[in-house]
Amino acid sequence: MNESVTLLTIFVLSVFVGIEVISKVSSTLHTPLMSGANAIHGIILLGAIIVTGSTDNAVAVVVGVVAIVLAAVNMVGGFVVTDRMLQMFTRKKPAKKVDA
Amino acid sequence: MPVWVQVAYLVCAVGFILALKGLSGPRTARTGNLIGAVAAVVGCAIPFFYLDLHHVPLILAAIVVGAAGGFVGARRVQMTQMPQMVALFNGVGGGAAALVALLELRELVAADEFAGSVPWFTLLATAFTILVGSVSFAGSVITFLKLQELMTSRPVVFPGLPVVFGLGLLAAVVLAVVTVVNPAEPVGVVLALVGLLIGVLLVLPVGGADVPIVISLLNAFTGLTVAAGGYVLGNTLLLVAGTLVGASGTFLTRLMASAMGRSVANILFGALKGGSTLG
């Protein structure tokens, strides 16, 4: 199979998985879910590391380093802030029933 | 790419699927978030073990700086200010994706001159990442300013806004076509600037109460840019993770809008039609 078609197949299947996997989310969890998904796209850090590590042009390295810093903020900040939101939830839960 | 790397990427991708699944249930949400964090850290460690990366100390230093900034920001933020913090994190992610795509465009231009004919779809995906990543960055900065009340949270509309917005979109399409036909770095930079303009104009007319839905939409945008970046780099983990966020984020945006009894189009463009977007 052609490599582009393989990637396209992965893309299309991932679209269905992405929708299916969150389709039963309760409305109280909308914001933490958004925040968690936000943290997941911080994985662009992986791409930033690869492009920065494979160039020797000074300008490109500087741009790459900026990308790494931004992506790391996204990833680490995203997961930590999501955890804080959810911590708040688990404390509040006994008082207020979560509706589906 | 060695087989173990591909398998490791697959394991991380499954981790992200489980993370989203966990995050959608109240009992499993924190575990889900933790699984996602572990998958992300493992995923980012992988290239150090199979690629002969240059500038490793610099890269590690940059990761530490960014991680520390994100950690401190996330710990210090007040509970009530969390939505704007999410917006900011989303924005920097989009900005990072756009910068990665600009660097990749540089590589593609060199490859094009050297060996000729980079596939048009790869160039289109690169242009998409540059454009939408910039839109997400600028849009998120405006949502942050609105929620932090550093600017008015009311819808901002000026008479020529739809015209300027339309021209911006047109320019973006033209520049994307130019990138495919005749790739060059300056075109990519201009495309990024147009993306910033579109991002600002997209969010200005949205009222403060609707901003969380726009954050969710921009979050989905960033996911798609990461997916396109993964396609260009031929990296399956970026592709799967970005697509998962793009798809679930789009779906979530619709859920959030319908929970408020609104449509996404109405939230984005309601103020332009003369109606209030303050719900």
Side-chain angles (χ1 to χ4, degrees):
Chain A
M1 192 150 62
N2 178 315
E3 203 206 333
S4 316
V5 181
T6 310
L7 293 174
L8 186 66
T9 308
I10 295 172
F11 171 75
V12 173
L13 296 180
S14 299
V15 168
F16 284 95
V17 173
I19 294 173
E20 192 55 40
V21 85
I22 65 136
S23 57
K24 292 192 184 74
V25 62
S26 57
S27 57
T28 42
L29 282 170
H30 282 174
T31 310
L33 176 61
M34 171 175 82
S35 180
N38 167 51
I40 288 175
H41 67 53
I43 194 66
I44 189 63
L45 176 58
L46 171 62
I49 291 170
I50 292 174
V51 292
T52 310
S54 51
T55 183
D56 277 325
N57 176 287
V59 179
V61 171
V62 171
V63 173
V65 164
V66 173
I68 291 175
V69 173
L70 295 181
V73 169
N74 180 191
M75 198 176 104
V76 175
F79 283 116
V80 173
V81 92
T82 308
D83 193 61
R84 276 191 68 196
M85 278 182 203
L86 292 169
Q87 229 173 340
M88 190 167 64
F89 262 83
T90 42
R91 263 195 242 114
K92 232 166 52 179
K93 222 168 50 181
K96 194 181 136 212
K97 276 250 187 271
V98 178
D99 57 321
Chain B
M1 202 185 286
V3 173
W4 75 263
V5 173
Q6 290 173 309
V7 174
Y9 281 157
L10 174 63
V11 171
C12 294
V14 171
F16 287 145
I17 294 172
L18 294 176
L20 287 173
K21 181 77 189 161
L23 278 165
S24 52
R27 287 180 189 284
T28 50
R30 273 192 89 179
T31 318
N33 188 49
L34 190 65
I35 294 173
V38 171
V41 171
V42 172
C44 289
I46 292 170
F48 291 98
F49 295 100
Y50 83 98
L51 288 173
D52 180 25
L53 293 176
H54 303 188
H55 324 294
V56 170
L58 192 61
I59 290 173
L60 291 176
I63 294 174
V64 170
V65 169
F71 185 82
V72 171
R75 294 298 301 178
R76 286 220 180 135
V77 62
Q78 306 272 315
M79 290 291 177
T80 50
Q81 296 177 329
M82 281 192 182
Q84 49 267 52
M85 209 62 195
V86 174
L88 204 60
F89 291 151
N90 176 53
V92 294
L99 292 178
V100 168
L102 276 173
L103 292 177
E104 196 52 31
L105 177 63
R106 201 178 150 269
E107 297 283 315
L108 292 174
V109 170
D112 201 50
E113 277 169 10
F114 203 67
S117 71
V118 171
W120 66 270
F121 197 74
T122 305
L123 290 165
L124 186 64
T126 311
F128 176 85
T129 310
I130 295 172
L131 175 69
V132 182
S134 310
V135 170
S136 189
F137 176 76
S140 298
V141 169
I142 300 293
T143 54
F144 174 80
L145 295 177
K146 283 194 177 209
L147 287 175
Q148 195 69 23
E149 290 178 341
L150 294 169
M151 65 175 282
T152 171
S153 61
R154 293 194 61 82
V156 177
V157 189
F158 53 87
L161 193 141
V163 180
V164 181
F165 189 73
L167 286 175
L169 287 182
L170 188 67
V173 171
V174 170
L175 288 165
V177 171
V178 171
T179 306
V180 171
V181 177
N182 187 15
E185 291 169 75
V187 180
V189 174
V190 177
L191 186 60
L193 295 176
V194 171
L196 294 177
L197 175 76
I198 293 175
V200 171
L201 294 180
L202 183 69
V203 181
L204 277 184
V206 178
D210 291 333
V211 162
I213 289 163
V214 177
I215 299 175
S216 177
L217 187 68
L218 293 173
N219 184 40
F221 280 6
T222 309
L224 289 177
T225 62
V226 172
Y231 178 86
V232 176
L233 290 166
N235 187 303
T236 48
L237 179 55
L238 286 185
L239 179 63
V240 173
T243 310
L244 287 173
V245 176
S248 62
T250 308
F251 190 73
L252 180 63
T253 307
R254 290 187 54 197
L255 285 181
M256 288 168 85
S258 69
M260 289 175 72
R262 308 279 301 277
S263 77
V264 177
N266 181 260
I267 285 164
L268 284 177
F269 303 114
L272 299 180
K273 292 187 205 132
S276 164
T277 67
L278 286 174

